[in-house]
Amino acid sequence: MFDAFQNIFATHSDTTMEITYYGHSSFMVKTNGKNILFDPFISPNPLASDIDVDALKPDFVLLSHGHIDHVEDAPRICKNAGSTAIGSWETMVWMEKQGVEKTHPMNIGGSWNFDFGNLKLVNAVHSSSMPDGSYGGNPTGFVVSNNEDCFYYAGDTALHMDMQLIPRRCNIKTAFLPIGSNFTMDVYDAIEAARMIHCNNIIGMHYDTFDYIKIDHSDALDAFTKAGIYLHLLNIGQTVNF
Ligand code: NI
Ligand code: MN
């Protein structure tokens, strides 16, 4: 009885954004009644071995850039679930070569109204090549906004001053920022990024998966706490609502 009641409540809780972590930089975000999966790298990640990739049924799969630790499971999931893939032109060309039928190519600075809301591609300072060695276009971040939510998914990026432009167009409620250093921002750069985008609710990503990006969780949490910003380090498989 109680479970049934909870389920009823869950299906009517569209006023919040639901986030599930699948390890590395991969999250499913439910917003505006649609499921958006970011940068799926699940089956090769030993930390995510409990996740059943074939059970994931996103409406959309968003790819920030072409590196294998962001796209590995994307063709499989899109083909399983009939999802629409979104990302740079070059990333979408690669997805089509893998047999993905529904793609929507975009580029930095452009936006489009999807049924989950408005999606804008923003700058990321990084590199991008596809797993087959082909050019991956420029790496990107994403800003998603609709009547309920506005969030920023930074992808792989260094700290950069263009982040200051993001809050001029919408109030970022939650941001997904890389914190693992070596390939991206570290914890202290991510704190600066949070200040630039005027957001105090940060979800950490791109840490612990490889030796190069292992972090001390309590140091990271302490640094954010001292800065007056919430940092969430989600367990793989964990779901949170904001
Ligand atoms: Ni990368
Ligand atoms: Mn990466």
Side-chain angles (χ1 to χ4, degrees), residues 24-25 39 65 67-70 126 156 183-184 206 210 213:
H24 200 48
S25 293
D39 285 7
H65 64 298
H67 288 157
I68 196 162
D69 60 317
H70 298 261
H126 191 66
D156 279 8
F183 300 112
T184 68
H206 215 270
F210 316 113
I213 59 173

Side-chain angles (χ1 to χ4, degrees), residues 27-116:
F27 298 86
M28 186 86 81
V29 177
K30 186 176 184 187
T31 182
N32 222 20
K34 298 292 171 188
N35 286 303
I36 310 171
L37 181 67
F38 290 86
D39 285 7
F41 175 76
I42 302 161
S43 62
N45 183 358
L47 302 177
S49 57
D50 288 344
I51 306 298
D52 178 6
V53 172
D54 294 321
L56 302 181
K57 304 289 181 201
D59 300 294
F60 296 87
V61 174
L62 272 56
L63 302 177
S64 65
H65 64 298
H67 288 157
I68 196 162
D69 60 317
H70 298 261
V71 304
E72 173 70 20
D73 290 319
R76 173 176 167 184
I77 293 168
C78 284
K79 284 188 260 184
N80 270 342
S83 325
T84 298
I86 307 172
S88 72
W89 176 272
E90 293 82 355
T91 307
M92 292 304 102
V93 167
W94 180 82
M95 286 289 277
E96 285 170 11
K97 274 190 198 146
Q98 313 311 307
V100 174
E101 287 175 5
K102 292 195 273 178
T103 61
H104 186 120
M106 296 180 68
N107 213 329
I108 295 171
S111 55
W112 187 264
N113 290 320
F114 293 93
D115 51 9
F116 59 79

Side-chain angles (χ1 to χ4, degrees), residues 12-228:
H12 290 275
S13 63
D14 288 344
T15 51
T16 60
M17 172 174 146
E18 183 180 283
I19 299 165
T20 305
Y21 188 39
Y22 295 123
H24 200 48
S25 293
S26 189
F27 298 86
M28 186 86 81
V29 177
K30 186 176 184 187
T31 182
N32 222 20
K34 298 292 171 188
N35 286 303
I36 310 171
L37 181 67
F38 290 86
D39 285 7
F41 175 76
I42 302 161
S43 62
N45 183 358
L47 302 177
S49 57
D50 288 344
I51 306 298
D52 178 6
V53 172
D54 294 321
L56 302 181
K57 304 289 181 201
D59 300 294
F60 296 87
V61 174
L62 272 56
L63 302 177
S64 65
H65 64 298
H67 288 157
I68 196 162
D69 60 317
H70 298 261
V71 304
E72 173 70 20
D73 290 319
R76 173 176 167 184
I77 293 168
C78 284
K79 284 188 260 184
N80 270 342
S83 325
T84 298
I86 307 172
S88 72
W89 176 272
E90 293 82 355
T91 307
M92 292 304 102
V93 167
W94 180 82
M95 286 289 277
E96 285 170 11
K97 274 190 198 146
Q98 313 311 307
V100 174
E101 287 175 5
K102 292 195 273 178
T103 61
H104 186 120
M106 296 180 68
N107 213 329
I108 295 171
S111 55
W112 187 264
N113 290 320
F114 293 93
D115 51 9
F116 59 79
N118 183 269
L119 174 69
K120 183 171 187 176
L121 266 63
V122 295
N123 197 19
V125 174
H126 191 66
S127 61
S128 181
S129 51
M130 306 311 306
D132 62 7
S134 62
Y135 175 56
N138 286 313
T140 69
F142 298 113
V143 177
V144 173
S145 52
N146 56 42
N147 290 336
E148 298 161 357
D149 297 314
C150 177
F151 64 92
Y152 170 44
Y153 178 94
D156 279 8
T157 185
L159 179 66
H160 61 79
M161 295 296 272
D162 283 4
M163 288 177 186
Q164 294 177 102
L165 299 172
I166 291 171
R168 295 190 194 179
R169 291 285 293 271
C170 67
N171 294 319
I172 302 291
K173 189 165 128 184
T174 302
F176 301 79
L177 301 178
I179 57 172
S181 196
N182 193 75
F183 300 112
T184 68
M185 296 193 281
D186 65 4
V187 165
Y188 298 94
D189 281 349
I191 289 169
E192 290 302 326
R195 288 175 176 143
M196 279 194 214
I197 61 174
H198 303 163
C199 178
N200 69 355
N201 193 47
I202 303 301
I203 296 172
M205 63 180 185
H206 215 270
Y207 63 95
D208 284 357
T209 320
F210 316 113
D211 285 344
Y212 287 129
I213 59 173
K214 288 215 160 76
I215 66 161
D216 184 306
H217 289 211
S218 60
D219 286 355
L221 292 163
D222 281 354
F224 269 85
T225 301
K226 279 184 188 132

